[in-house]
Structure formats: structure tokens, C-alpha cells
Amino acid sequence: MEQRVVITGMGVISPVGNNLSDFWQNLVAGHCGIEQIKGFDEYDLPISVAGQVKNFDPEANGLNRNDVRRSDMYCQFALAAAYQAMQDSGLVSGENIAPERLGTYIGSGIGGMQTFVSETEKLLNEGVGRVSPLFVPMMIGNIASGNVAIKYNAQGVCLPVVTACATGTHAAGEAYRAIKHGYADAIITGGAEASIHPLAIGGFANSKALTRSTDPKNASIPFNVNRNGFVMGEGAGVLIFESLDSALKRGAHIYAEVVGYGNSCDAHHVTAPSPDGVPASRAIRQSLDEAGFDAEKDLLYINAHGTSTPLNDKSETVAIKLALGEEAAHKAMISSSKSMTGHMLGATGAVELIVAALTLKNGVVTPTIGLNDPDPDCDLDYVPNVARKADVTIAISNSLGFGGHNGCVALRKWSE
């Protein structure tokens, strides 16, 4: 028998806040977390802005000295967001859930970038004997899932996902399916990234993916005719997905119900999305069909991938129209959180799914800031600059990753 799936806990580390309350309030207020890059003055960087995490306190987020010493920053972000989510949910392995029924699906697009660079420098400058024995377990992209599973005695299904910028969305979607089909009662799911480093910046910038804007407030401007590239961000988003039966049995607080998931591939280009939007539209359509979306009865919110690159925003607009039809597409409210956080890469899908869940819970749609000069080819309702009250009944979060990975997760408003 298929199980219904709900969200019972969430946690976030981001450029606009390191807890759910600050994160949400700043997004609703249209606060931009993008600033001048800090920490790399010795490099002649080709770009000058990023969405960096500010005032991160590992100890306040459940990390001890060994966690910090033995973890790359991306894993620290994941552990911190997971701590918040587990505290929020009230789940305790061995007490109100069996360890073998608790899983962990936390992915990263890049993994331990900072560890990789620092240990490479040791190799080149000091020799192979100086490379840390912890190099590989700190660097690999699955270790956030592994360490979170260890921390919370999650002995069940464990499937870290790596699909570039769609990682967090695919991790959540696969977690939904695993619970729905009975392989787990709850899964700690999401994504984490900490790759704002000159090596990654150089790679993205030299591939012409990053904006060269020097003004933080006009750098990540999705759907604006003047957009010219994305802004790198960092952080983590973690959600607790749980079967409805388990959540009701223990009286858990429920944010929203997870009701659909779509997954497709452009099979088109290493970095560019398919301009016709057809494969991405399939992922959107799949999630909405599974969710039982009714264009006549439902009020839809879409958290767009909305990267602020010329190709993405135009092709995503086309995909939304193909998936919904012109009339329903123009009725939907759409916004891009990346206008405030920058592009958090492997973390972005999970963080934006949190936005979708809070939109349903709070009845407020966060804005796309910086949208002062809309692109005529992007002609839908992108909720420009100011948040909007709306009794949204269904919300989806889109993610599109390098390699052509498309993902979409659908949530429905929860009512007792």
C-alpha cells in the first residue's frame, strides 16, 4: 500500500539567514544576501559578488570540535541544517522511529571543494606524505549523508544524489518515492554546498556562466532583460520527509504534504538548457499530474530555477507554458529565490523547496527582487520586488542542472 508523505521538520543555512525564521523573514522582506566577495583578496578574481553564508556558528547548530575538524565546510552546513530539521521534527531514532526505518538522502553538486584544494596544495608543496588521511572522507560528495546518518543513527535507506544544480530537488524527490513505496518511514533529505572558492569561481567564470556585475543588488536579476549570468551562493537545506501515518501517530507538526515528483533529462548540452523547454516541461507536468493539480480549483506557486542567465530564464518560461498551457501559466505566481540568495548549486533545490513549503504554510509568496525591466520573452507573473499574500494550495519547485538534469517536486497545503 502506498504511503502519503509529509514534511515534519526543516533547517537552513543560507546567505539570507541561518535558521528558518530569519531566512523566511528576509525573503519576504526582499532582503538581498548577495555582497562583495570576502576572503580572497590575494586573488585577481574575474567576478566580485557572491551569496556567502554569514555568521555561521557550528556549535549553535549541534556541531562539536571533532565535527568541525573532520568535516569540509559543505558537510558542516549539512550537519547544521540537519540538526535544525531534526530538532524541528522531534524525531529520535530508537525512540519514536526504528533506526532501520530512518534514511538519509543529502547530496552535493561539487562536494568538498575547500578540502580538495587545501590537500592538493599540501601535495604540491610538501609531498604526498603530508596529505591528510581524512582527505577522501572529507572531500567525497556522499559524506554529508554519511555523517548525518551517523549523527542520528539513521540505519535505513541512504542515497546521496549528485545531479549538479538539481541535486537538492532530486534528493527530495527520490526520498519521497522511497517513503511512498514503503522503503522508509522517514528520510532526512536535502542538499549542501560550499564551493565559493577561486578554483570554482575561475571555472564558472571562464565558462561565461557568472555575472560580471559589480553591484550586488543588480547581479542576480532573474527574468530581467539585463541579466547576464548567475551569482554563486552557498549553504544547505534539509527537510524531514515522513510517512503521514508515522507523523500522525506521534503528533508531529506538519508543514505541507509532498504530492508529486518529476524527473527528466534534456540530453542536449553539457551546460546549456534545451531552448525548446520540452524535457523540462515533462518534469513539471509529471509532478503536477501526480499531485492531482486542477488548474480551475488550485492556486499554484512555482519556485522557479530562475538563475539569471540569458538561456535558463527564457527556456524555463517556455517549459512552464508547455507544462501548464498558456492560460494556467499566466495564472500561476512564480518567483526566483536566487534573486536574494544567489545560486546555491547542489543546495539550491532543497532550500527552494523549503521556500515552497513555507509559502503554503504562511500564505505569502516571496518576490523576485531586481525585476525592474522584465524581458519580453519572460512574460509570466514573477511577483516582482514585493511579496504577495495569497492562499496558495499547491506549490512546485523547479531545478535544472548542468548535464541536462531536470527535477520538480510538488507540495500541497496541509489541513487537518
Side-chain angles (χ1 to χ4, degrees):
M1 185 179 74
E2 291 187 350
Q3 302 187 87
R4 293 172 67 185
V5 182
V6 293
I7 300 170
T8 58
M10 300 191 293
V12 66
I13 302 294
S14 82
V16 294
N18 295 332
N19 58 66
L20 276 185
S21 177
D22 289 348
F23 172 72
W24 179 248
Q25 289 177 22
N26 284 327
L27 289 181
V28 171
H31 175 72
C32 184
I34 297 165
E35 296 179 348
Q36 298 293 327
I37 292 179
K38 294 178 176 66
F40 305 112
D41 294 341
E42 69 273 29
Y43 295 91
D44 183 21
L45 296 179
I47 62 132
S48 58
V49 299
Q52 292 177 289
V53 168
K54 306 160 191 70
N55 304 314
F56 176 61
D57 185 345
E59 186 176 349
N61 286 284
L63 279 72
N64 58 40
R65 289 183 179 180
N66 276 339
D67 293 328
V68 173
R69 184 172 63 87
R70 293 170 173 264
S71 301
D72 184 88
M73 187 56 72
Y74 101 91
C75 189
Q76 292 182 44
F77 289 163
L79 284 163
Y83 172 80
Q84 294 175 25
M86 288 295 282
Q87 292 287 309
D88 189 26
S89 74
L91 271 179
V92 180
S93 178
E95 293 186 14
N96 54 18
I97 187 169
E100 66 272 17
R101 299 294 294 174
L102 176 62
T104 314
Y105 284 23
I106 299 175
S108 179
I110 295 176
M113 171 65 73
Q114 296 180 26
T115 297
F116 185 90
V117 172
S118 65
E119 295 303 317
T120 300
E121 288 174 343
K122 285 184 188 178
L123 171 66
L124 297 176
N125 297 327
E126 303 175 50
V128 69
R130 297 296 297 168
V131 175
S132 170
L134 295 174
F135 168 51
V136 173
M138 286 176 65
M139 176 269 297
I140 50 181
N142 72 303
I143 206 64
S145 259
N147 281 341
V148 168
I150 292 167
K151 195 84 166 176
Y152 297 103
N153 191 29
Q155 298 178 23
V157 292
C158 188
L159 186 69
V161 174
V162 180
T163 49
C165 307
T167 292
T169 298
H170 283 146
E174 296 302 324
Y176 160 66
R177 284 183 177 170
I179 298 171
K180 179 178 180 178
H181 295 295
Y183 297 102
D185 292 330
I187 297 179
I188 309 164
T189 185
E193 207 77 82
S195 55
I196 298 177
H197 184 281
L199 182 62
I201 289 169
F204 280 123
N206 293 340
S207 69
K208 311 298 184 186
L210 300 182
T211 181
R212 300 300 175 105
S213 173
T214 59
D215 179 2
K217 299 295 189 292
N218 289 290
S220 184
I221 48 173
F223 309 109
N224 190 312
V225 72
N226 298 310
R227 69 190 185 277
N228 58 18
F230 77 81
V231 173
M232 288 184 71
E234 64 181 359
V238 171
L239 307 94
I240 308 302
F241 283 10
E242 188 171 356
S243 74
L244 178 60
D245 286 349
S246 173
L248 292 177
K249 182 178 179 181
R250 62 187 191 86
H253 169 75
I254 295 173
Y255 285 97
E257 183 173 2
V258 191
V259 289
Y261 171 47
N263 183 349
S264 68
C265 184
D266 286 354
H268 169 71
H269 190 270
V270 173
T271 58
S274 178
D276 64 13
V278 171
S281 75
R282 291 195 194 106
I284 297 170
R285 190 68 253 170
Q286 287 166 15
S287 70
L288 288 173
D289 285 348
E290 187 176 10
F293 171 66
D294 185 331
E296 297 298 320
K297 297 179 181 178
D298 282 314
L299 184 57
L300 173 65
Y301 166 65
I302 301 174
N303 190 292
H305 191 55
T307 60
S308 187
T309 63
L311 293 177
N312 175 90
D313 298 1
K314 184 177 178 178
S315 66
E316 187 175 9
T317 298
V318 172
I320 291 169
K321 290 178 179 180
L322 288 172
L324 298 178
E326 285 282 343
E327 183 177 352
H330 281 276
K331 284 174 58 180
M333 289 171 287
I334 307 164
S335 66
S336 172
S337 304
K338 294 180 182 70
S339 62
M340 293 175 271
T341 66
H343 192 342
M344 298 167 68
L345 307 176
T348 204
V351 170
E352 291 165 6
L353 192 60
I354 289 172
V355 177
L358 291 174
T359 297
L360 290 167
K361 181 178 184 294
N362 297 322
V364 177
V365 175
T366 57
T368 304
I369 67 169
L371 187 49
N372 301 316
D373 194 2
D375 184 342
D377 289 327
C378 301
D379 60 349
L380 300 177
D381 179 5
Y382 300 108
V383 191
N385 299 314
V386 179
R388 188 183 304 169
K389 290 184 178 180
D391 189 20
V392 176
T393 58
I394 192 165
I396 62 173
S397 179
N398 293 341
S399 291
L400 318 174
F402 279 8
H405 304 288
N406 305 308
C408 183
V409 172
L411 309 178
R412 187 171 283 280
K413 184 175 182 177
W414 176 254
S415 59
E416 297 291 343

